[in-house]
Amino acid sequence: MTAATTTDGGGTGLPADRLATLRARFAPLFATIRDGAAERELASGTPGDRQLPHAEVRALADAGFGRLRVPEDRGGFGVTLVELAHLVADLAAADSNIAHLWRGHFGYTELVLLRPDSPARDEWMQRIVDGAIVGNATSERTGTTLADISTTVTPDGASLRLDGRKFYSTGTLYADWIYLAADRDGQRVTFAVDASAPGVRSIDDWDGFGQRLTASGTTVFDGVAVDPSAVSAYRDAPLSHIQAFYQLYLLAVLAGIGQAVSDDAVAFVRPRTRTYIHANAAVPGEDPQVIAVLGRLSAGAFTARSLVAAAAGLLDTVVATNVPGPAGSAAGVSKPLLDAAENAVYQAQVEIGPRVLRSASELFEVGGASAADRTRALDRHWRNARVVASHNPAVYKERMVGEYALHGQGPVDAWEKYHEVGPTRF
């Protein structure tokens, strides 16, 4: 069979058959999710008293969304990062909350794929293929940066005991397993625990003004039994594309929000008959100024997705070089390729966030006061984009991009240093 090539993302030249097939597979589910997005948003105001989209998330898992990156010979779909980015953006265009909450799952899947062949790796891939969802609980509000943690694992007979409190636990309330980091005798370790294990408690107390349904709140671990064989030191993992992947995923969510802005603006204008005294046409859909706004929103959405796809393509090149390497080194990848790819992700971040936020505000230029009707919930796009863009603020990435351009100093050097520093820091 001769594969067609995709025109998405500015002409990546990648085979389009698989992406088109998967888009067709998930399109009805995405449409259902989109249909309920505004209603869910309007009911999402109070932490602990809102209707989380458990059914929608489980439907995605049952349809195989969580196994997109698992190789085909292991029961997955074997998509590239470019293809994954498009599908995540498509889901985010339907509901950015639901797309975002899968970030920890796909990040953990990447970590599993980076492991050498082993029975434990096989077991995790099978869990993912069978529909297990993995949440994230690595961050805390203790210390001064993400690197500081107070959650601990301590000896407890033949097992380990996990105690601590995490926050920004995106996706854990929907998850079957929770991936986290803890301190063991002054060393940062990582592992996953069963979300239903005794002593695990996830709390819907995320009170951000956007992305309210991502369950990005507190996870408590109180005397949770942990199998020592499941625990690995952070330093034992070679440097890889994983840090860039986590940021790329957020950019795909932002690109999806940009698409939702464009789609909602068109849907608002198309049936509209009311206009202004100074308008250029009898109806907004024939007014060249309104049409120009729609053009800018569409171009912004295309640009955001194109940048994500371009950066994802470079990360795909890095993934092709990934092999198990010595602990705390970049031996598992080509360092120049990783520097260039991660820098590209940062470049995309610097451009995508402001562009999508501007579009989410300019959306209201096509409709006046009626666009602000609360039942339309169009304000959710700006609020959600602002919260997503606040992860790892772009101001720091601007400097790093500048350092790479001027001095050739890439992001990998910073990650290498984190492997060398002291207790509880990664």
Side-chain angles (χ1 to χ4, degrees), residues 241-248 251 307 311 314-315 338-354 392-404 409-412 414-415 418:
H241 70 292
I242 189 63
Q243 301 297 343
F245 172 84
Y246 280 122
Q247 191 60 47
L248 179 80
L251 298 182
L307 290 171
L314 290 178
L315 280 187
L338 182 56
D339 266 332
E342 189 155 354
N343 182 70
V345 172
Y346 294 173
Q347 288 175 310
Q349 181 185 356
V350 168
E351 291 297 318
I352 290 172
N392 302 309
V395 62
Y396 297 110
K397 304 304 171 60
E398 289 177 335
R399 175 183 57 81
M400 296 188 74
V401 169
E403 288 179 348
Y404 187 69
Q409 180 180 339
V412 176
W415 295 120
Y418 278 122

mmCIF file of all heavy atoms in Angstrom, residues 241-248 251 307 311 314-315 338-354 392-404 409-412 414-415 418:
data_model
loop_
_atom_site.group_PDB
_atom_site.id
_atom_site.type_symbol
_atom_site.label_atom_id
_atom_site.label_comp_id
_atom_site.label_asym_id
_atom_site.label_seq_id
_atom_site.Cartn_x
_atom_site.Cartn_y
_atom_site.Cartn_z
ATOM 1 N N HIS A 241 14.554 12.426 25.962
ATOM 2 C CA HIS A 241 13.654 13.465 25.478
ATOM 3 C C HIS A 241 12.506 13.734 26.438
ATOM 4 O O HIS A 241 11.638 14.556 26.126
ATOM 5 C CB HIS A 241 13.077 13.027 24.133
ATOM 6 C CG HIS A 241 12.103 11.878 24.258
ATOM 7 N ND1 HIS A 241 12.489 10.616 24.622
ATOM 8 C CD2 HIS A 241 10.749 11.817 24.097
ATOM 9 C CE1 HIS A 241 11.430 9.823 24.670
ATOM 10 N NE2 HIS A 241 10.364 10.528 24.352
ATOM 11 N N ILE A 242 12.450 13.078 27.595
ATOM 12 C CA ILE A 242 11.245 13.101 28.419
ATOM 13 C C ILE A 242 10.904 14.496 28.922
ATOM 14 O O ILE A 242 9.729 14.873 28.969
ATOM 15 C CB ILE A 242 11.350 12.095 29.591
ATOM 16 C CG1 ILE A 242 10.009 11.954 30.315
ATOM 17 C CG2 ILE A 242 12.461 12.482 30.553
ATOM 18 C CD1 ILE A 242 8.904 11.389 29.453
ATOM 19 N N GLN A 243 11.900 15.297 29.317
ATOM 20 C CA GLN A 243 11.592 16.644 29.806
ATOM 21 C C GLN A 243 10.977 17.490 28.691
ATOM 22 O O GLN A 243 10.001 18.214 28.913
ATOM 23 C CB GLN A 243 12.857 17.307 30.346
ATOM 24 C CG GLN A 243 13.529 16.549 31.481
ATOM 25 C CD GLN A 243 12.656 16.426 32.718
ATOM 26 O OE1 GLN A 243 11.682 17.149 32.889
ATOM 27 N NE2 GLN A 243 13.000 15.497 33.599
ATOM 28 N N ALA A 244 11.535 17.386 27.500
ATOM 29 C CA ALA A 244 10.966 18.119 26.364
ATOM 30 C C ALA A 244 9.581 17.589 26.014
ATOM 31 O O ALA A 244 8.692 18.355 25.613
ATOM 32 C CB ALA A 244 11.892 18.011 25.154
ATOM 33 N N PHE A 245 9.384 16.285 26.184
ATOM 34 C CA PHE A 245 8.080 15.702 25.874
ATOM 35 C C PHE A 245 6.983 16.305 26.744
ATOM 36 O O PHE A 245 5.901 16.630 26.241
ATOM 37 C CB PHE A 245 8.113 14.187 26.060
ATOM 38 C CG PHE A 245 6.756 13.553 25.945
ATOM 39 C CD1 PHE A 245 6.237 13.237 24.704
ATOM 40 C CD2 PHE A 245 5.976 13.312 27.069
ATOM 41 C CE1 PHE A 245 4.961 12.679 24.585
ATOM 42 C CE2 PHE A 245 4.714 12.763 26.964
ATOM 43 C CZ PHE A 245 4.204 12.444 25.716
ATOM 44 N N TYR A 246 7.245 16.431 28.044
ATOM 45 C CA TYR A 246 6.219 16.968 28.933
ATOM 46 C C TYR A 246 5.808 18.375 28.510
ATOM 47 O O TYR A 246 4.636 18.744 28.598
ATOM 48 C CB TYR A 246 6.728 16.988 30.374
ATOM 49 C CG TYR A 246 6.648 15.653 31.068
ATOM 50 C CD1 TYR A 246 7.782 15.054 31.601
ATOM 51 C CD2 TYR A 246 5.439 14.990 31.215
ATOM 52 C CE1 TYR A 246 7.711 13.827 32.256
ATOM 53 C CE2 TYR A 246 5.359 13.767 31.869
ATOM 54 C CZ TYR A 246 6.502 13.189 32.385
ATOM 55 O OH TYR A 246 6.425 11.982 33.030
ATOM 56 N N GLN A 247 6.775 19.192 28.066
ATOM 57 C CA GLN A 247 6.430 20.535 27.620
ATOM 58 C C GLN A 247 5.738 20.505 26.267
ATOM 59 O O GLN A 247 4.781 21.245 26.024
ATOM 60 C CB GLN A 247 7.685 21.409 27.537
ATOM 61 C CG GLN A 247 7.394 22.872 27.347
ATOM 62 C CD GLN A 247 6.563 23.447 28.489
ATOM 63 O OE1 GLN A 247 6.858 23.210 29.651
ATOM 64 N NE2 GLN A 247 5.505 24.178 28.165
ATOM 65 N N LEU A 248 6.195 19.630 25.385
ATOM 66 C CA LEU A 248 5.555 19.494 24.072
ATOM 67 C C LEU A 248 4.082 19.125 24.230
ATOM 68 O O LEU A 248 3.222 19.635 23.501
ATOM 69 C CB LEU A 248 6.275 18.419 23.251
ATOM 70 C CG LEU A 248 5.671 18.161 21.869
ATOM 71 C CD1 LEU A 248 6.134 19.218 20.882
ATOM 72 C CD2 LEU A 248 6.022 16.764 21.364
ATOM 73 N N LEU A 251 2.041 22.076 24.858
ATOM 74 C CA LEU A 251 1.906 22.889 23.647
ATOM 75 C C LEU A 251 0.844 22.305 22.720
ATOM 76 O O LEU A 251 0.119 23.048 22.051
ATOM 77 C CB LEU A 251 3.248 22.991 22.930
ATOM 78 C CG LEU A 251 4.371 23.672 23.709
ATOM 79 C CD1 LEU A 251 5.637 23.746 22.863
ATOM 80 C CD2 LEU A 251 3.963 25.057 24.182
ATOM 81 N N LEU A 307 3.859 24.576 14.631
ATOM 82 C CA LEU A 307 5.033 24.646 15.493
ATOM 83 C C LEU A 307 5.147 23.405 16.373
ATOM 84 O O LEU A 307 6.250 22.878 16.583
ATOM 85 C CB LEU A 307 4.968 25.903 16.356
ATOM 86 C CG LEU A 307 5.171 27.235 15.624
ATOM 87 C CD1 LEU A 307 4.867 28.404 16.560
ATOM 88 C CD2 LEU A 307 6.593 27.334 15.087
ATOM 89 N N ALA A 311 8.332 20.731 16.191
ATOM 90 C CA ALA A 311 9.126 20.356 17.356
ATOM 91 C C ALA A 311 9.001 18.860 17.638
ATOM 92 O O ALA A 311 9.986 18.193 17.986
ATOM 93 C CB ALA A 311 8.687 21.166 18.572
ATOM 94 N N LEU A 314 11.311 16.788 15.485
ATOM 95 C CA LEU A 314 12.694 16.737 15.967
ATOM 96 C C LEU A 314 12.819 15.779 17.142
ATOM 97 O O LEU A 314 13.823 15.057 17.264
ATOM 98 C CB LEU A 314 13.160 18.135 16.368
ATOM 99 C CG LEU A 314 13.370 19.118 15.212
ATOM 100 C CD1 LEU A 314 13.788 20.488 15.743
ATOM 101 C CD2 LEU A 314 14.436 18.593 14.250
ATOM 102 N N LEU A 315 11.821 15.752 18.013
ATOM 103 C CA LEU A 315 11.859 14.796 19.126
ATOM 104 C C LEU A 315 11.757 13.361 18.618
ATOM 105 O O LEU A 315 12.365 12.451 19.197
ATOM 106 C CB LEU A 315 10.741 15.085 20.122
ATOM 107 C CG LEU A 315 10.979 16.218 21.114
ATOM 108 C CD1 LEU A 315 9.847 16.269 22.129
ATOM 109 C CD2 LEU A 315 12.313 16.069 21.849
ATOM 110 N N LEU A 338 19.401 16.126 20.875
ATOM 111 C CA LEU A 338 18.520 16.423 21.992
ATOM 112 C C LEU A 338 18.515 17.914 22.297
ATOM 113 O O LEU A 338 17.455 18.502 22.553
ATOM 114 C CB LEU A 338 18.946 15.627 23.228
ATOM 115 C CG LEU A 338 18.079 15.807 24.484
ATOM 116 C CD1 LEU A 338 16.625 15.476 24.199
ATOM 117 C CD2 LEU A 338 18.619 14.937 25.623
ATOM 118 N N ASP A 339 19.675 18.541 22.271
ATOM 119 C CA ASP A 339 19.739 19.987 22.482
ATOM 120 C C ASP A 339 18.906 20.731 21.442
ATOM 121 O O ASP A 339 18.131 21.627 21.770
ATOM 122 C CB ASP A 339 21.192 20.474 22.402
ATOM 123 C CG ASP A 339 21.862 20.556 23.762
ATOM 124 O OD1 ASP A 339 21.153 20.765 24.769
ATOM 125 O OD2 ASP A 339 23.092 20.412 23.825
ATOM 126 N N ALA A 340 19.057 20.360 20.184
ATOM 127 C CA ALA A 340 18.330 21.045 19.113
ATOM 128 C C ALA A 340 16.827 20.821 19.240
ATOM 129 O O ALA A 340 16.032 21.747 19.052
ATOM 130 C CB ALA A 340 18.827 20.557 17.752
ATOM 131 N N ALA A 341 16.438 19.597 19.582
ATOM 132 C CA ALA A 341 15.010 19.286 19.682
ATOM 133 C C ALA A 341 14.382 19.978 20.881
ATOM 134 O O ALA A 341 13.282 20.552 20.771
ATOM 135 C CB ALA A 341 14.821 17.777 19.786
ATOM 136 N N GLU A 342 15.049 19.936 22.032
ATOM 137 C CA GLU A 342 14.475 20.591 23.198
ATOM 138 C C GLU A 342 14.446 22.103 23.007
ATOM 139 O O GLU A 342 13.492 22.776 23.421
ATOM 140 C CB GLU A 342 15.252 20.225 24.464
ATOM 141 C CG GLU A 342 14.564 20.692 25.727
ATOM 142 C CD GLU A 342 14.938 19.888 26.962
ATOM 143 O OE1 GLU A 342 15.656 18.888 26.840
ATOM 144 O OE2 GLU A 342 14.497 20.273 28.053
ATOM 145 N N ASN A 343 15.446 22.651 22.367
ATOM 146 C CA ASN A 343 15.437 24.072 22.059
ATOM 147 C C ASN A 343 14.257 24.415 21.142
ATOM 148 O O ASN A 343 13.608 25.454 21.311
ATOM 149 C CB ASN A 343 16.752 24.482 21.391
ATOM 150 C CG ASN A 343 16.814 25.965 21.088
ATOM 151 O OD1 ASN A 343 16.914 26.796 21.982
ATOM 152 N ND2 ASN A 343 16.760 26.309 19.802
ATOM 153 N N ALA A 344 13.961 23.535 20.202
ATOM 154 C CA ALA A 344 12.823 23.767 19.306
ATOM 155 C C ALA A 344 11.503 23.769 20.083
ATOM 156 O O ALA A 344 10.603 24.566 19.794
ATOM 157 C CB ALA A 344 12.782 22.699 18.214
ATOM 158 N N VAL A 345 11.386 22.886 21.072
ATOM 159 C CA VAL A 345 10.188 22.885 21.909
ATOM 160 C C VAL A 345 10.069 24.212 22.643
ATOM 161 O O VAL A 345 8.985 24.800 22.735
ATOM 162 C CB VAL A 345 10.220 21.707 22.906
ATOM 163 C CG1 VAL A 345 9.067 21.811 23.906
ATOM 164 C CG2 VAL A 345 10.155 20.377 22.168
ATOM 165 N N TYR A 346 11.186 24.717 23.152
ATOM 166 C CA TYR A 346 11.164 26.007 23.856
ATOM 167 C C TYR A 346 10.830 27.149 22.903
ATOM 168 O O TYR A 346 10.091 28.073 23.260
ATOM 169 C CB TYR A 346 12.514 26.271 24.519
ATOM 170 C CG TYR A 346 12.871 25.328 25.644
ATOM 171 C CD1 TYR A 346 14.137 25.368 26.232
ATOM 172 C CD2 TYR A 346 11.964 24.382 26.128
ATOM 173 C CE1 TYR A 346 14.473 24.514 27.260
ATOM 174 C CE2 TYR A 346 12.302 23.530 27.154
ATOM 175 C CZ TYR A 346 13.561 23.587 27.721
ATOM 176 O OH TYR A 346 13.896 22.739 28.749
ATOM 177 N N GLN A 347 11.383 27.099 21.704
ATOM 178 C CA GLN A 347 11.039 28.123 20.711
ATOM 179 C C GLN A 347 9.541 28.112 20.424
ATOM 180 O O GLN A 347 8.901 29.175 20.348
ATOM 181 C CB GLN A 347 11.812 27.866 19.410
ATOM 182 C CG GLN A 347 13.303 28.176 19.495
ATOM 183 C CD GLN A 347 14.015 27.787 18.204
ATOM 184 O OE1 GLN A 347 13.852 26.669 17.704
ATOM 185 N NE2 GLN A 347 14.808 28.696 17.671
ATOM 186 N N ALA A 348 8.988 26.922 20.272
ATOM 187 C CA ALA A 348 7.550 26.816 20.024
ATOM 188 C C ALA A 348 6.760 27.351 21.214
ATOM 189 O O ALA A 348 5.751 28.044 21.043
ATOM 190 C CB ALA A 348 7.185 25.361 19.749
ATOM 191 N N GLN A 349 7.227 27.067 22.412
ATOM 192 C CA GLN A 349 6.526 27.543 23.607
ATOM 193 C C GLN A 349 6.477 29.066 23.663
ATOM 194 O O GLN A 349 5.444 29.656 23.990
ATOM 195 C CB GLN A 349 7.227 27.011 24.860
ATOM 196 C CG GLN A 349 6.547 27.433 26.157
ATOM 197 C CD GLN A 349 7.324 26.987 27.386
ATOM 198 O OE1 GLN A 349 8.336 26.301 27.271
ATOM 199 N NE2 GLN A 349 6.856 27.379 28.550
ATOM 200 N N VAL A 350 7.590 29.701 23.324
ATOM 201 C CA VAL A 350 7.656 31.157 23.356
ATOM 202 C C VAL A 350 6.638 31.781 22.409
ATOM 203 O O VAL A 350 6.080 32.847 22.685
ATOM 204 C CB VAL A 350 9.096 31.621 23.010
ATOM 205 C CG1 VAL A 350 9.140 33.114 22.737
ATOM 206 C CG2 VAL A 350 10.053 31.262 24.151
ATOM 207 N N GLU A 351 6.355 31.117 21.305
ATOM 208 C CA GLU A 351 5.438 31.666 20.305
ATOM 209 C C GLU A 351 3.985 31.237 20.503
ATOM 210 O O GLU A 351 3.064 32.027 20.298
ATOM 211 C CB GLU A 351 5.897 31.238 18.904
ATOM 212 C CG GLU A 351 7.199 31.881 18.456
ATOM 213 C CD GLU A 351 7.075 33.391 18.333
ATOM 214 O OE1 GLU A 351 6.045 33.872 17.818
ATOM 215 O OE2 GLU A 351 8.008 34.084 18.774
ATOM 216 N N ILE A 352 3.766 29.991 20.897
ATOM 217 C CA ILE A 352 2.404 29.454 20.920
ATOM 218 C C ILE A 352 1.560 30.065 22.029
ATOM 219 O O ILE A 352 0.399 30.449 21.799
ATOM 220 C CB ILE A 352 2.440 27.916 21.048
ATOM 221 C CG1 ILE A 352 2.974 27.293 19.759
ATOM 222 C CG2 ILE A 352 1.044 27.369 21.354
ATOM 223 C CD1 ILE A 352 3.216 25.800 19.850
ATOM 224 N N GLY A 353 2.097 30.162 23.231
ATOM 225 C CA GLY A 353 1.315 30.684 24.344
ATOM 226 C C GLY A 353 0.725 32.058 24.069
ATOM 227 O O GLY A 353 -0.506 32.240 24.128
ATOM 228 N N PRO A 354 1.557 33.051 23.755
ATOM 229 C CA PRO A 354 1.008 34.382 23.475
ATOM 230 C C PRO A 354 0.030 34.399 22.304
ATOM 231 O O PRO A 354 -0.966 35.126 22.325
ATOM 232 C CB PRO A 354 2.256 35.213 23.163
ATOM 233 C CG PRO A 354 3.370 34.514 23.877
ATOM 234 C CD PRO A 354 3.035 33.054 23.783
ATOM 235 N N ASN A 392 5.748 25.937 33.656
ATOM 236 C CA ASN A 392 7.107 26.238 33.173
ATOM 237 C C ASN A 392 7.095 27.522 32.341
ATOM 238 O O ASN A 392 7.198 27.484 31.111
ATOM 239 C CB ASN A 392 7.654 25.087 32.325
ATOM 240 C CG ASN A 392 7.678 23.777 33.083
ATOM 241 O OD1 ASN A 392 8.199 23.708 34.193
ATOM 242 N ND2 ASN A 392 7.104 22.740 32.511
ATOM 243 N N PRO A 393 6.945 28.680 32.982
ATOM 244 C CA PRO A 393 6.729 29.952 32.273
ATOM 245 C C PRO A 393 7.710 30.193 31.133
ATOM 246 O O PRO A 393 8.907 29.922 31.242
ATOM 247 C CB PRO A 393 6.895 30.986 33.389
ATOM 248 C CG PRO A 393 6.503 30.262 34.633
ATOM 249 C CD PRO A 393 6.996 28.862 34.441
ATOM 250 N N ALA A 394 7.168 30.725 30.049
ATOM 251 C CA ALA A 394 7.957 30.928 28.839
ATOM 252 C C ALA A 394 9.080 31.936 29.030
ATOM 253 O O ALA A 394 10.055 31.921 28.275
ATOM 254 C CB ALA A 394 7.048 31.373 27.691
ATOM 255 N N VAL A 395 8.984 32.815 30.024
ATOM 256 C CA VAL A 395 10.029 33.817 30.216
ATOM 257 C C VAL A 395 11.382 33.146 30.446
ATOM 258 O O VAL A 395 12.423 33.647 29.994
ATOM 259 C CB VAL A 395 9.659 34.760 31.390
ATOM 260 C CG1 VAL A 395 9.547 34.007 32.711
ATOM 261 C CG2 VAL A 395 10.673 35.895 31.513
ATOM 262 N N TYR A 396 11.385 32.007 31.133
ATOM 263 C CA TYR A 396 12.648 31.304 31.356
ATOM 264 C C TYR A 396 13.140 30.637 30.077
ATOM 265 O O TYR A 396 14.345 30.498 29.851
ATOM 266 C CB TYR A 396 12.474 30.264 32.461
ATOM 267 C CG TYR A 396 12.116 30.884 33.797
ATOM 268 C CD1 TYR A 396 10.861 30.723 34.339
ATOM 269 C CD2 TYR A 396 13.050 31.658 34.495
ATOM 270 C CE1 TYR A 396 10.521 31.308 35.556
ATOM 271 C CE2 TYR A 396 12.718 32.239 35.706
ATOM 272 C CZ TYR A 396 11.459 32.063 36.236
ATOM 273 O OH TYR A 396 11.133 32.650 37.432
ATOM 274 N N LYS A 397 12.200 30.204 29.253
ATOM 275 C CA LYS A 397 12.573 29.538 28.010
ATOM 276 C C LYS A 397 13.117 30.543 26.994
ATOM 277 O O LYS A 397 13.962 30.191 26.162
ATOM 278 C CB LYS A 397 11.371 28.776 27.443
ATOM 279 C CG LYS A 397 10.773 27.778 28.434
ATOM 280 C CD LYS A 397 11.805 26.792 28.943
ATOM 281 C CE LYS A 397 11.286 25.939 30.085
ATOM 282 N NZ LYS A 397 10.123 25.126 29.763
ATOM 283 N N GLU A 398 12.638 31.766 27.033
ATOM 284 C CA GLU A 398 13.193 32.799 26.145
ATOM 285 C C GLU A 398 14.690 32.951 26.383
ATOM 286 O O GLU A 398 15.483 33.024 25.431
ATOM 287 C CB GLU A 398 12.490 34.139 26.398
ATOM 288 C CG GLU A 398 11.067 34.200 25.916
ATOM 289 C CD GLU A 398 10.393 35.514 26.262
ATOM 290 O OE1 GLU A 398 10.806 36.174 27.237
ATOM 291 O OE2 GLU A 398 9.450 35.894 25.550
ATOM 292 N N ARG A 399 15.069 32.999 27.649
ATOM 293 C CA ARG A 399 16.495 33.138 27.974
ATOM 294 C C ARG A 399 17.289 31.929 27.492
ATOM 295 O O ARG A 399 18.377 32.076 26.918
ATOM 296 C CB ARG A 399 16.679 33.318 29.481
ATOM 297 C CG ARG A 399 18.146 33.349 29.918
ATOM 298 C CD ARG A 399 18.284 33.458 31.425
ATOM 299 N NE ARG A 399 17.604 32.390 32.129
ATOM 300 C CZ ARG A 399 18.101 31.162 32.298
ATOM 301 N NH1 ARG A 399 19.276 30.845 31.784
ATOM 302 N NH2 ARG A 399 17.427 30.256 32.959
ATOM 303 N N MET A 400 16.737 30.740 27.691
ATOM 304 C CA MET A 400 17.460 29.533 27.287
ATOM 305 C C MET A 400 17.605 29.447 25.771
ATOM 306 O O MET A 400 18.642 29.022 25.259
ATOM 307 C CB MET A 400 16.749 28.304 27.841
ATOM 308 C CG MET A 400 16.744 28.250 29.361
ATOM 309 S SD MET A 400 16.112 26.701 30.031
ATOM 310 C CE MET A 400 17.499 25.617 29.688
ATOM 311 N N VAL A 401 16.570 29.869 25.062
ATOM 312 C CA VAL A 401 16.657 29.903 23.593
ATOM 313 C C VAL A 401 17.736 30.891 23.166
ATOM 314 O O VAL A 401 18.520 30.637 22.242
ATOM 315 C CB VAL A 401 15.295 30.267 22.975
ATOM 316 C CG1 VAL A 401 15.435 30.571 21.485
ATOM 317 C CG2 VAL A 401 14.301 29.129 23.180
ATOM 318 N N GLY A 402 17.796 32.031 23.851
ATOM 319 C CA GLY A 402 18.830 33.021 23.548
ATOM 320 C C GLY A 402 20.223 32.491 23.823
ATOM 321 O O GLY A 402 21.168 32.746 23.046
ATOM 322 N N GLU A 403 20.394 31.778 24.919
ATOM 323 C CA GLU A 403 21.698 31.207 25.244
ATOM 324 C C GLU A 403 22.128 30.181 24.195
ATOM 325 O O GLU A 403 23.309 30.100 23.830
ATOM 326 C CB GLU A 403 21.662 30.560 26.628
ATOM 327 C CG GLU A 403 21.607 31.569 27.774
ATOM 328 C CD GLU A 403 21.549 30.899 29.138
ATOM 329 O OE1 GLU A 403 21.322 29.660 29.171
ATOM 330 O OE2 GLU A 403 21.712 31.595 30.147
ATOM 331 N N TYR A 404 21.153 29.424 23.700
ATOM 332 C CA TYR A 404 21.470 28.435 22.672
ATOM 333 C C TYR A 404 21.878 29.126 21.373
ATOM 334 O O TYR A 404 22.824 28.709 20.700
ATOM 335 C CB TYR A 404 20.258 27.538 22.443
ATOM 336 C CG TYR A 404 20.511 26.368 21.515
ATOM 337 C CD1 TYR A 404 21.340 25.316 21.889
ATOM 338 C CD2 TYR A 404 19.910 26.313 20.258
ATOM 339 C CE1 TYR A 404 21.568 24.240 21.042
ATOM 340 C CE2 TYR A 404 20.116 25.248 19.406
ATOM 341 C CZ TYR A 404 20.952 24.211 19.807
ATOM 342 O OH TYR A 404 21.174 23.150 18.961
ATOM 343 N N GLN A 409 24.792 26.946 24.087
ATOM 344 C CA GLN A 409 24.558 26.220 25.337
ATOM 345 C C GLN A 409 23.129 25.716 25.359
ATOM 346 O O GLN A 409 22.187 26.495 25.465
ATOM 347 C CB GLN A 409 24.813 27.129 26.545
ATOM 348 C CG GLN A 409 24.596 26.447 27.882
ATOM 349 C CD GLN A 409 24.864 27.373 29.052
ATOM 350 O OE1 GLN A 409 25.569 28.366 28.906
ATOM 351 N NE2 GLN A 409 24.301 27.042 30.205
ATOM 352 N N GLY A 410 22.963 24.397 25.235
ATOM 353 C CA GLY A 410 21.635 23.823 25.131
ATOM 354 C C GLY A 410 21.046 23.399 26.462
ATOM 355 O O GLY A 410 21.733 23.370 27.492
ATOM 356 N N PRO A 411 19.775 23.034 26.457
ATOM 357 C CA PRO A 411 19.077 22.654 27.697
ATOM 358 C C PRO A 411 19.639 21.403 28.361
ATOM 359 O O PRO A 411 19.492 21.223 29.572
ATOM 360 C CB PRO A 411 17.635 22.421 27.231
ATOM 361 C CG PRO A 411 17.524 23.139 25.933
ATOM 362 C CD PRO A 411 18.868 23.067 25.303
ATOM 363 N N VAL A 412 20.273 20.509 27.588
ATOM 364 C CA VAL A 412 20.730 19.246 28.150
ATOM 365 C C VAL A 412 21.744 19.468 29.271
ATOM 366 O O VAL A 412 21.778 18.732 30.253
ATOM 367 C CB VAL A 412 21.326 18.344 27.050
ATOM 368 C CG1 VAL A 412 21.901 17.057 27.652
ATOM 369 C CG2 VAL A 412 20.253 17.998 26.025
ATOM 370 N N ALA A 414 21.750 21.672 31.555
ATOM 371 C CA ALA A 414 21.054 21.930 32.812
ATOM 372 C C ALA A 414 20.519 20.630 33.401
ATOM 373 O O ALA A 414 20.620 20.399 34.615
ATOM 374 C CB ALA A 414 19.912 22.915 32.584
ATOM 375 N N TRP A 415 19.959 19.757 32.553
ATOM 376 C CA TRP A 415 19.444 18.489 33.073
ATOM 377 C C TRP A 415 20.569 17.605 33.587
ATOM 378 O O TRP A 415 20.405 16.877 34.582
ATOM 379 C CB TRP A 415 18.650 17.752 31.994
ATOM 380 C CG TRP A 415 17.412 18.477 31.573
ATOM 381 C CD1 TRP A 415 17.109 18.920 30.312
ATOM 382 C CD2 TRP A 415 16.309 18.860 32.402
ATOM 383 N NE1 TRP A 415 15.891 19.556 30.312
ATOM 384 C CE2 TRP A 415 15.380 19.539 31.578
ATOM 385 C CE3 TRP A 415 16.025 18.713 33.757
ATOM 386 C CZ2 TRP A 415 14.178 20.036 32.063
ATOM 387 C CZ3 TRP A 415 14.834 19.219 34.247
ATOM 388 C CH2 TRP A 415 13.922 19.865 33.407
ATOM 389 N N TYR A 418 21.401 18.434 37.116
ATOM 390 C CA TYR A 418 20.436 17.959 38.098
ATOM 391 C C TYR A 418 20.699 16.510 38.502
ATOM 392 O O TYR A 418 20.327 16.077 39.591
ATOM 393 C CB TYR A 418 19.015 18.102 37.568
ATOM 394 C CG TYR A 418 18.462 19.488 37.730
ATOM 395 C CD1 TYR A 418 18.011 20.211 36.626
ATOM 396 C CD2 TYR A 418 18.399 20.097 38.980
ATOM 397 C CE1 TYR A 418 17.507 21.492 36.774
ATOM 398 C CE2 TYR A 418 17.901 21.386 39.132
ATOM 399 C CZ TYR A 418 17.455 22.061 38.022
ATOM 400 O OH TYR A 418 16.966 23.334 38.173
#
